[in-house]
Amino acid sequence: DALDPERLIQCPYNKYHQIRACRFPYHLVKCRKSYPEVAKELATCPFNARHLVPRADLSDHIKKCNDKGFIEQDIVNESSVSQREQMSAVSTWQAPPCDEDWETESLEQSDPPFIW
């Protein structure tokens, strides 16, 4: 199961490292420092930072990356939300007429002002 946090993933820096999925991002940072020469040869996928592929294969990976669909869907959703917000931003609401007149009300009060 791709969503199982306990599944094992092979480290792109050292094929003998098998890392639990929940720890994989932390391991990548650690191994990048430990294997700087290998890190120079790998490129990071723009759709998922956990995808490290050889630089020569990056364009093929981008075309086939499963996470590309999630990003594209997010962009479509964000665009439609933005359009809805723009449509609702134009408001025709007007304040109802106010029947209150504080000046008149203060003159009508017969009680003398309280002075301490």
Side-chain angles (χ1 to χ4, degrees):
D1 181 20
L3 300 176
D4 179 14
E6 297 300 317
R7 81 180 190 288
L8 294 177
I9 301 173
Q10 181 178 324
C11 173
Y13 297 105
N14 183 332
K15 66 180 182 178
Y16 298 108
H17 293 174
Q18 296 292 317
I19 314 304
R20 288 182 298 135
C22 62
R23 297 293 308 157
F24 194 66
Y26 306 103
H27 180 83
L28 287 178
V29 171
K30 180 182 168 190
C31 259
R32 179 178 289 137
K33 291 176 185 174
S34 299
Y35 298 95
E37 293 304 313
V38 177
K40 290 177 187 175
E41 298 173 13
L42 297 176
T44 303
C45 170
F47 305 114
N48 187 335
R50 296 175 185 173
H51 297 171
L52 296 170
V53 295
R55 291 195 181 278
D57 298 339
L58 182 61
S59 60
D60 282 338
H61 174 82
I62 289 172
K63 291 175 189 172
K64 300 174 185 174
C65 183
N66 294 335
D67 292 330
K68 180 169 72 170
F70 297 124
I71 301 297
E72 289 172 343
Q73 188 60 45
D74 283 347
I75 291 169
V76 168
N77 290 343
E78 205 171 282
S79 173
S80 66
V81 167
S82 175
Q83 287 174 351
R84 274 187 260 133
E85 286 174 352
Q86 287 175 354
M87 290 173 63
S88 65
V90 178
S91 176
T92 58
W93 182 84
Q94 292 181 353
C98 182
D99 296 335
E100 292 182 350
D101 185 359
W102 291 8
E103 303 272 333
T104 308
E105 288 178 13
S106 68
L107 294 174
E108 291 174 355
Q109 288 181 351
S110 60
D111 298 335
F114 175 78
I115 300 174
W116 185 258

